[in-house]
Amino acid sequence: MYLTTNPLGGNTYRRLNEGDRPLADEDVKRMLAEQVEDSRDDRILRNFGFDDLDMGSFRAYRQVFANRDPGHPWNEENDQAFLRRIGGWRMDRETGDAGLTLAGLLMFGQMSVVQEVLPNYVLDYQERPMAKAERRWVDRLTLDGKWSGNLYDFYRKVYLKLTADLKVPFQLEKGERQDETPVHVALREALANVLVHADYSERASVLVVKRPDMFGFRNPGLMRIPVEVALHGGEPDCRNRNLHKMFRFVGVGEQAGTGIPRILQGWNSQHWNPPKLYESSTPYNQTLLELRMIDLFPVEVIADLRARFGAQFDQLKHEERVALALTGSEGTVNHARLCTVSSAHPVELTRTLQHLTQLGMLDSTGSGRGAVYFLPGQHLPTPDDVFGPPSQAVGPSSSGLDGSSSVLSASSSVLTGSSSTSDQQRDEDGYLVTDQLPLPVISDLNSLSPSLRTRLEELAAEPRQKKKLDRESFEAAVLAVCAGHYLTLNALAELLNRKPSSLRNEYLTPMVRQKTLSLAFPTTPTHERQAYCTTSSVAQEAQDGKVL
């Protein structure tokens, strides 16, 4: 927004989250140019011609074009006519001017000539040896005068470097090996996008970084459409349309707004963390894309699913593979949990779970969106498996929890009379030990050793003494007392001096949804004898390989 009739001279402001910030005249002129010019790369450069191009780059481009379509009529054109066809040469019918376009110079020009027109033009590729934000590099390609310095050569050289040691298994299609995987496609699209969407008048450089854990792409200039729209695709608004067209003619990009979705698809195929696309205005306007090769699910889980289901697993839709991987990683999955890791519509996720059940790749218990899904043949423990059949509670609790009788006294534990809870199954600290669960269980505070009970009461001191406590402090106390073991609902309520029903509804259930707490019995989440532990405790137990 700007004040007065003149947007220059400090009268224009950009609204940021924390307030309005004045824009320099250079930024204002760039915004006005973006408004007027549909494409930034089609202007004719007077007094520039074929002598300013690197003909080796141009010949290489023509050869790739001809190899892709040997019968194309443009193959018979001379160099100037061919360059005109692809958008590198243009005539202005109103003025009669004709010559090399900015796109033609950027694509095939010599470095020194390009920098005459665009003084801020810099291309930079760095391969860094460590998964850290440090500047050291082991391989670099930049404008050092040892190569042409144009976009086409930069693309050809950098793409080979990006994919040189890509550890992605090959795929079979119709019995033939496909050397180009979805990850190759994603990297190709990302590299092309950073070149065709760049604002080469900006001060920031085009930067491509390869690290052991990620690929990073930065182009000068902000996006011309909102990030959310770009992620969904289908609405192209390219800053340099002629450049985009030139790349499309040699099989790079589709000029249909599908670049970012194809990148997402490639990363989803490997179950890596979703790509991160964002903008920054400091110190210069720039758009950044981070492709991190961090597994969304453990490698061994995906390997187990492939061993279990064979090629059928890789042929599933992305949401279906995510549902199976989540089940293999966490033991169970339900509709609510799947919604937290997938951007698909909830109705589509319902169909996903139903389809996997119909295929026999998931079993389920319960109905509707409350159903719990697990892998076929997997036995999920129930409270009866661990505690035996429930027995009748005798008398009110002695803990004085607002007169609630749902917390059992020492003489009336829910475990009384069950053969699975005999004294022989409790260790010296009073834990109930069972091979049904990865961690021991605290079902009755009165059965604990004095030292263990004292330690737990110290961890729960704040909620035991204060009826009103801020949520963050209360949840911290819950996680502290649930670390390293399961606590039944009633035992946890007694320890924290709260009613079981309000404790579960207000705190425990939301914490389970946030995955900070894990359930001992996921198939019966609201069972009165449900038990809880911190999620990190289960992960550590699995990592240590302990079996109780």
Side-chain angles (χ1 to χ4, degrees):
M1 54 188 177
Y2 62 92
L3 306 175
T4 76
T5 57
N6 182 11
L8 302 178
N11 296 320
T12 300
Y13 297 80
R14 173 178 287 141
R15 173 151 293 175
L16 302 175
N17 293 331
E18 65 272 17
D20 298 337
R21 295 291 180 266
L23 283 180
D25 286 353
E26 181 181 359
D27 292 326
V28 176
K29 291 176 182 177
R30 186 176 293 110
M31 295 174 69
L32 292 173
E34 292 276 7
Q35 183 182 38
V36 173
E37 300 173 5
D38 188 37
S39 178
R40 298 294 301 277
D41 63 350
D42 65 348
R43 65 186 176 98
I44 298 172
L45 303 175
R46 293 183 178 180
N47 302 319
F48 287 81
F50 270 87
D51 290 342
D52 299 310
L53 301 185
D54 180 83
M55 294 308 294
S57 305
F58 183 64
R59 298 291 181 208
Y61 180 93
R62 291 207 65 169
Q63 187 62 55
V64 173
F65 183 92
N67 291 344
R68 293 188 74 247
D69 190 352
H72 200 290
W74 292 357
N75 291 327
E76 305 300 323
E77 302 272 14
N78 62 35
D79 287 344
Q80 181 174 324
F82 180 84
L83 191 61
R84 181 175 60 83
R85 295 286 192 184
I86 64 174
W89 188 280
R90 187 170 72 87
M91 184 182 71
D92 188 327
R93 296 183 183 277
E94 292 184 2
T95 64
D97 291 338
L100 197 65
T101 64
L102 180 59
L105 183 65
L106 283 167
M107 195 70 163
F108 307 116
Q110 301 172 31
M111 178 193 70
S112 58
V113 180
V114 177
Q115 290 179 328
E116 286 181 32
V117 180
L118 299 167
N120 297 324
Y121 174 80
V122 178
L123 305 175
D124 196 1
Y125 165 82
Q126 299 177 17
E127 183 173 343
R128 300 175 184 172
M130 305 291 288
K132 298 179 182 178
E134 57 178 308
R135 300 289 182 179
R136 286 197 307 120
W137 44 267
V138 295
D139 185 20
R140 189 179 188 189
L141 179 71
T142 188
L143 302 183
D144 54 8
K146 297 179 181 179
W147 57 289
S148 69
N150 57 52
L151 297 187
Y152 186 60
D153 275 356
F154 184 78
Y155 169 82
R156 290 196 301 159
K157 293 175 182 292
V158 171
Y159 178 71
L160 292 177
K161 292 177 181 291
L162 291 176
T163 59
D165 53 356
L166 200 58
K167 294 180 176 62
V168 178
F170 74 88
Q171 298 179 336
L172 292 176
E173 185 175 328
K174 297 181 180 179
E176 296 184 359
R177 174 171 176 155
Q178 303 297 310
D179 292 320
E180 188 175 74
T181 69
V183 176
H184 288 82
V185 174
L187 291 175
R188 187 180 67 214
E189 291 289 339
L191 180 56
N193 274 359
V194 81
L195 298 178
V196 303
H197 289 287
D199 183 349
Y200 293 101
S201 64
E202 280 276 11
R203 295 184 182 274
S205 64
V206 169
L207 177 63
V208 179
V209 174
K210 178 181 180 180
R211 292 188 344 198
D213 66 322
M214 69 166 288
F215 299 94
F217 301 85
R218 180 188 74 189
N219 66 261
L222 303 178
M223 300 187 65
R224 289 172 40 134
I225 60 175
V227 172
E228 297 75 15
V229 174
L231 291 172
H232 286 90
E235 297 188 31
D237 189 3
C238 184
R239 179 173 278 113
N240 301 297
R241 294 191 178 182
N242 283 300
L243 284 177
H244 206 170
K245 180 171 63 174
M246 290 177 182
F247 276 111
R248 179 170 58 85
F249 284 147
V250 289
V252 182
E254 295 182 357
Q255 213 168 4
T258 60
I260 298 300
R262 294 183 77 184
I263 295 170
L264 295 173
Q265 181 182 3
W267 244 239
N268 288 340
S269 71
Q270 300 303 308
H271 307 285
W272 288 332
N273 276 0
K276 182 180 180 183
L277 176 66
Y278 60 101
E279 299 174 302
S280 174
S281 298
T282 54
Y284 308 113
N285 292 337
Q286 51 193 307
T287 303
L288 302 103
L289 174 66
E290 296 179 2
L291 305 178
R292 296 185 178 273
M293 295 178 290
I294 301 175
D295 292 327
L296 188 59
F297 302 104
V299 176
E300 58 271 17
V301 170
I302 303 300
D304 179 70
L305 291 171
R306 287 195 171 108
R308 179 190 287 260
F309 299 116
Q312 186 179 13
F313 174 75
D314 290 310
Q315 293 169 359
L316 295 171
K317 295 179 180 178
H318 170 65
E319 288 76 16
E320 294 172 335
R321 295 197 307 273
V322 168
L324 285 177
L326 198 60
T327 308
S329 178
E330 300 181 0
T332 62
V333 69
N334 57 24
H335 186 272
R337 173 61 177 143
L338 189 55
C339 285
T340 64
V341 300
S342 175
S343 59
H345 193 279
V347 174
E348 181 63 29
L349 295 182
T350 298
R351 297 194 187 105
T352 294
L353 293 170
Q354 292 173 347
H355 185 233
L356 290 173
T357 304
Q358 293 169 359
L359 293 175
M361 302 177 82
L362 283 180
D363 286 340
S364 66
T365 180
S367 59
R369 292 192 175 179
V372 175
Y373 299 82
F374 49 92
L375 297 175
Q378 180 181 0
H379 174 71
L380 299 180
T382 66
D384 289 352
D385 292 333
V386 175
F387 302 133
S391 59
Q392 184 65 37
V394 183
S397 168
S398 58
S399 63
L401 301 183
D402 301 324
S404 171
S405 61
S406 60
V407 180
L408 304 178
S409 66
S411 62
S412 60
S413 167
V414 294
L415 305 178
T416 302
S418 169
S419 60
S420 65
T421 60
S422 62
D423 292 340
Q424 287 79 4
Q425 288 182 295
R426 292 190 183 276
D427 63 15
E428 62 275 10
D429 288 321
Y431 282 121
L432 176 65
V433 180
T434 171
D435 59 3
Q436 300 282 344
L437 296 171
L439 297 171
V441 183
I442 296 175
S443 57
D444 181 6
L445 297 183
N446 294 315
S447 297
L448 300 180
S449 65
S451 60
L452 178 56
R453 179 162 183 169
T454 299
R455 183 172 67 84
L456 291 174
E457 289 176 347
E458 289 175 351
L459 292 173
E462 275 199 288
R464 286 175 65 82
Q465 296 167 8
K466 300 178 182 179
K467 274 298 182 183
K468 292 185 178 180
L469 189 65
D470 65 273
R471 188 173 194 89
E472 183 178 354
S473 298
F474 191 90
E475 289 186 352
V478 171
L479 295 176
V481 299
C482 290
H485 46 244
Y486 288 101
L487 267 163
T488 61
L489 174 62
N490 287 337
L492 188 55
E494 182 179 353
L495 182 63
L496 297 171
N497 197 21
R498 295 293 190 274
K499 289 184 178 181
S501 58
S502 61
L503 175 64
R504 171 152 51 195
N505 294 336
E506 294 178 23
Y507 293 99
L508 302 183
T509 298
M511 292 175 73
V512 169
R513 291 197 187 107
Q514 296 164 7
K515 303 306 294 180
T516 56
L517 282 182
S518 292
L519 300 176
F521 314 109
T523 59
T524 54
T526 60
H527 197 283
E528 61 182 353
R529 294 188 292 177
Q530 184 62 261
Y532 304 83
C533 75
T534 59
T535 300
S536 58
S537 299
V538 177
Q540 185 62 49
E541 191 68 19
Q543 181 178 341
D544 294 342
K546 298 178 181 177
V547 179
L548 296 175

